[in-house]
Amino acid sequence: MSDTLTADVIGRRVEVNGEHATVRFAGVVPPVAGPWLGVEWDNPERGKHDGSHEGTVYFKCSQLSKLQEVSLRNCAVSCAGEKGGVAEACPNIRKVDLSKNLLSSWDEVIHIADQLRHLEVLNVSENKLKFPSGSVLTGTLSVLKVLVLNQTGITWAEVLRCVAGCPGLEELYLESNNIFISERPTDVLQTVKLLDLSSNQLIDENQLYLIAHLPRLEQLILSDTGISSLHFPDAGIGCKTSMFPSLKYLVVNDNQISQWSFFNELEKLPSLRALSCLRNPLTKEDKEAETARLLIIASIGQLKTLNKCEILPEERRRAELDYRKAFGNEWKQAGGHKDPEKNRLSEEFLTAHPRYQFLCLKYGAPEDWELKTQQPLMLKNQLLTLKIKYPHQLDQKVLEKQLPGSMTIQKVKGLLSRLLKVPVSDLLLSYESPKKPGREIELENDLKSLQFYSVENGDCLLVRW
């Protein structure tokens, strides 16, 4: 063994005669000659010392009694082992992952969890478990906050029986179980804040009514359930529903949403602030994705985040103004009038555009000249005539260019790079609008379009490098 052992070896994994260990010490151990390695064996029954020699402590091994998080995923765990053994070895565990093991029943899970009095997070996903057919003792998982039961084959009735033993449960994950919500939770799930029902293809909106009155439910994940519609029959146009009173975040990715009425209904949710609706027929990531985003923003007034992207005040203003103009002719034909007292809007229009009247109050009813000149909202390639200035150039040349409103900032920079013979990476863009004199707005996100930043005809692009 070399005399030049350094601290670099500490923490390395080693194998000795088929046993694995971690190096905890490297150096001299007087009065014994030469350098030594001190290791902590994976097998707690292996080894003659505890890191000390003749009264001197050279290192300390992990103390299982202080262990708080354990992952035993795919470790062929089939039972709790010797009675009381878990409690004796690891009494302070708070989080345990037992997913993809050989556990065969919920009773066996309880035998393990019952020894962990501080257990807050339990994952038993991908175990083919037999669940109890009768009532479950309450309080067996008294401090559990998070329960993960993905791909366990559990039914809704079994869910309700099992969670009866979890009086403080806050998060419940039930992905890929072919669940059909068959009854309303009454004395259970009342503390749950997050419920994940992803990839349960049997769920429809009628079943959702059964969980619509969970008082603390803040996050509902319905990805890949095949859902296409949602209605709140207790709330009329412009009113809020009594259902899902605390729901702040809704996820409906990878579904079959193809009607705009879906988002009109979401406007009725009193607490909704964040929505994720990726990869639906109406919101596929193609050339119309930005138009769909603007329509959703205009349809749901209280929304703060869409697809994990914050809705800034300028984006909301632009979305609502575009919506107001785009459907202005339809509003007028349906009986709309700029004098509110002369409004005689049809029920059909109010149903299709429940926020339109509010937008007219907020921004004023659309004028006739706006409706004549306004391009349809879906025409993404509307050309904008823009002035282009180079503020740091002495001659202050002003050019005029026509650019599509859907053109990204990155492509604008590419065009200017070729024009000016300046590297794209050196270009900084901003713009000024005659409507906002003295205010310069940076075009800082290369992936966003000119329309995103509300650039309009007659605005001036400022180019620096």
Side-chain angles (χ1 to χ4, degrees):
M1 188 179 291
S2 170
D3 291 332
T4 59
L5 283 174
T6 68
D8 291 344
V9 301
I10 294 176
R12 290 190 182 182
R13 297 283 289 162
V14 295
E15 180 183 340
V16 182
N17 298 328
E19 294 278 359
H20 295 86
T22 303
V23 177
R24 298 298 187 198
F25 171 80
V28 178
V29 184
V32 186
W36 287 83
L37 292 180
V39 300
E40 177 183 0
W41 298 101
D42 288 7
N43 180 356
E45 297 180 359
R46 176 71 192 270
K48 300 177 181 178
H49 305 285
D50 61 357
S52 62
H53 179 66
E54 294 190 356
T56 301
V57 177
Y58 293 93
F59 67 94
K60 288 185 177 181
C61 295
S62 297
Q63 295 176 289
L64 293 179
S65 63
K66 294 184 178 179
L67 200 61
Q68 293 192 4
E69 295 188 15
V70 176
S71 176
L72 295 171
R73 176 175 171 79
N74 200 16
C75 288
V77 175
S78 61
C79 64
E82 185 180 346
K83 186 175 181 180
V86 177
E88 183 179 350
C90 312
N92 291 304
I93 289 178
R94 282 169 165 73
K95 180 177 181 180
V96 63
D97 183 352
L98 292 170
S99 60
K100 204 172 184 180
N101 276 294
L102 301 176
L103 297 168
S104 59
S105 72
W106 182 250
D107 288 341
E108 202 60 53
V109 173
I110 293 300
H111 289 157
I112 297 172
D114 206 29
Q115 299 181 58
L116 304 174
R117 297 299 182 182
H118 304 288
L119 188 63
E120 296 179 355
V121 180
L122 174 61
N123 184 350
V124 291
S125 298
E126 299 175 72
N127 286 281
K128 299 303 178 184
L129 299 173
K130 179 182 179 182
F131 292 94
S133 56
S135 60
V136 175
L137 289 175
T138 58
T140 52
L141 295 167
S142 59
V143 298
L144 195 71
K145 294 181 180 178
V146 179
L147 178 59
V148 189
L149 293 167
N150 300 334
Q151 298 181 56
T152 56
I154 195 169
T155 68
W156 183 250
E158 290 167 345
V159 168
L160 300 186
R161 284 197 288 272
C162 289
V163 299
C166 315
L169 194 65
E170 295 181 359
E171 298 182 14
L172 177 60
Y173 297 84
L174 299 170
E175 182 180 339
S176 302
N177 282 303
N178 285 322
I179 280 178
F180 182 94
I181 300 176
S182 55
E183 57 183 296
R184 180 174 175 174
T186 51
D187 299 326
V188 295
L189 299 182
Q190 302 303 300
T191 58
V192 164
K193 296 180 180 179
L194 183 153
L195 179 59
D196 185 353
L197 293 167
S198 298
S199 301
N200 287 289
Q201 298 288 331
L202 300 177
I203 289 177
D204 60 27
E205 65 173 310
N206 292 319
Q207 295 173 52
L208 295 180
Y209 296 149
L210 295 174
I211 59 170
H213 297 284
L214 293 176
R216 298 186 187 178
L217 185 61
E218 296 179 359
Q219 298 184 54
L220 179 60
I221 305 173
L222 297 172
S223 296
D224 188 33
T225 57
I227 196 166
S228 61
S229 61
L230 190 61
H231 298 90
F232 300 111
D234 66 322
I237 296 170
C239 299
K240 298 297 183 184
T241 178
S242 62
M243 300 184 190
F244 298 104
S246 301
L247 188 63
K248 296 179 180 179
Y249 182 31
L250 176 64
V251 181
V252 287
N253 298 332
D254 302 295
N255 281 303
Q256 301 301 318
I257 300 166
S258 59
Q259 300 295 324
W260 289 111
S261 58
F262 185 93
F263 302 103
N264 290 338
E265 288 297 304
L266 296 187
E267 161 71 9
K268 296 178 180 179
L269 290 169
S271 302
L272 188 67
R273 297 295 180 270
L275 172 68
S276 186
C277 55
L278 299 170
R279 297 176 298 278
N280 280 275
L282 278 182
T283 60
K284 285 184 178 177
E285 295 175 3
D286 56 17
K287 62 182 180 180
E288 299 298 342
E290 187 177 338
T291 299
R293 177 178 173 86
L294 294 177
L295 285 169
I296 294 170
I297 292 171
S299 299
I300 309 174
Q302 70 270 29
L303 210 59
K304 301 295 183 184
T305 303
L306 177 57
N307 297 331
K308 296 188 177 181
C309 184
E310 182 184 1
I311 301 169
L312 299 175
E314 190 66 27
E315 185 181 19
R316 171 161 293 286
R317 176 180 172 81
R318 179 196 157 206
E320 293 180 341
L321 283 172
D322 280 0
Y323 188 97
R324 167 182 160 275
K325 292 177 183 178
F327 297 101
N329 282 319
E330 188 178 332
W331 167 78
K332 194 172 181 181
Q333 292 167 7
H337 197 283
K338 59 183 179 181
D339 182 351
E341 293 185 2
K342 296 181 180 179
N343 262 331
R344 299 293 184 270
L345 281 171
S346 67
E347 190 72 20
E348 183 181 7
F349 180 86
L350 289 171
T351 300
H353 307 283
R355 289 198 77 226
Y356 197 91
Q357 283 294 84
F358 171 79
L359 297 181
C360 287
L361 291 173
K362 185 175 180 179
Y363 300 106
E367 301 288 342
D368 289 344
W369 63 268
E370 292 181 276
L371 303 183
K372 290 178 182 177
T373 59
Q374 172 65 20
Q375 295 292 327
L377 188 66
M378 293 298 178
L379 288 182
K380 295 294 301 298
N381 290 321
Q382 180 185 2
L383 291 177
L384 304 175
T385 301
L386 305 175
K387 296 175 182 178
I388 300 178
K389 289 183 181 179
Y390 315 111
H392 69 301
Q393 299 293 311
L394 295 176
D395 55 9
Q396 282 288 316
K397 278 187 178 179
V398 179
L399 302 179
E400 276 200 0
K401 284 281 183 183
Q402 283 196 321
L403 302 176
S406 60
M407 195 172 193
T408 64
I409 305 306
Q410 189 173 45
K411 289 183 178 179
V412 174
K413 285 182 176 180
L415 183 151
L416 292 169
S417 173
R418 294 189 293 272
L419 182 69
L420 299 169
K421 305 295 190 274
V422 175
V424 170
S425 58
D426 292 347
L427 292 175
L428 298 173
L429 301 188
S430 58
Y431 84 96
E432 292 177 333
S433 171
K435 296 179 180 178
K436 303 169 185 174
R439 182 183 174 191
E440 186 174 334
I441 300 170
E442 292 184 16
L443 304 175
E444 55 189 3
N445 190 333
D446 285 353
L447 301 180
K448 296 298 186 181
S449 68
L450 292 169
Q451 284 180 333
F452 175 84
Y453 285 105
S454 301
V455 178
E456 298 178 343
N457 276 321
D459 287 350
C460 183
L461 283 181
L462 305 174
V463 186
R464 297 181 175 88
W465 62 92

